Structures are given as structure tokens and as C-alpha cells.
Amino acid sequence: MSIVPDDRPRVLGPVVDDMTRCVHYRGPTDIIAIRFACCGEYYPCHRCHEETVKHAAQQWAAHERDRRAILCGACGHELTIAEYFAATACPRCSALFNERCALHREHYFQLDRS
Ligand SMILES: [Zn+2]
Ligand SMILES: [Zn+2]
Ligand SMILES: [Zn+2]
């Protein structure tokens, strides 16, 4: 009998394992999924979203940083956007996140332009 936590939000798209790695990003630290502001669903990456849905991706606004929109694929913890921006690893299970994801933040979040 396998024990699959069923309180985790579902992750859509071409996911290749149960830590939310996908056909595009499947390195050791590619373990997060991101909830999209447009449809409210988790996808492993912006390319998964683009290939799966028929609508344009929307980004979370700067005033929505308190929303839980990042899923740690290792433990199922949901981080707020602000927590994720400040974190290099999951605050619950300490799994390291891929630092290079920061290069793609504009696909998911409206960034401050000061
Ligand atoms: Zn969407
Ligand atoms: Zn992907
Ligand atoms: Zn975790």
C-alpha cells in the first residue's frame, strides 16, 4: 500500500516525477511548482503552462506577494511569493531550490521596477 499525501495541490502539465520535475526542467534542484495567477493551477514551469493551456499566462502583481503560489515538490509545503523570493531552500524540509529559477521570475511575477 503506497502512501501518497492527498492534501497536496495537484500539479498539471508534463510532470515527470512526484517532486514536480517536468520535461523542461528536471535537474536535482528543480523541485518547485508555481501556481499561475491566470488559472490558479500549479505547473512545474512556464513552458508547461504554455504547452498545456490555451490562454496567455498572467503574472502575480507586486501587491500579491502574500499569496501561497509556490509548491515545494519535496514535502508539499506551499510558500508565499515573498517567502519564496527570500528563500534558497524550503523553509519546512530544507530541500534546495534552483537558484537559476530567479532568471525566469518575470514569467510568473510582476517585478518591482524602482
Ligand atoms: Zn493559466
Ligand atoms: Zn516544464
Ligand atoms: Zn519542502
Side-chain angles (χ1 to χ4, degrees), residues 54 59 66:
K54 297 271 186 282
Q59 288 76 38
D66 60 339

Side-chain angles (χ1 to χ4, degrees), residues 42-54:
Y42 274 105
Y43 287 88
C45 79
H46 64 98
R47 291 169 64 189
C48 286
H49 178 272
E50 185 180 305
E51 291 170 12
T52 305
V53 303
K54 297 271 186 282

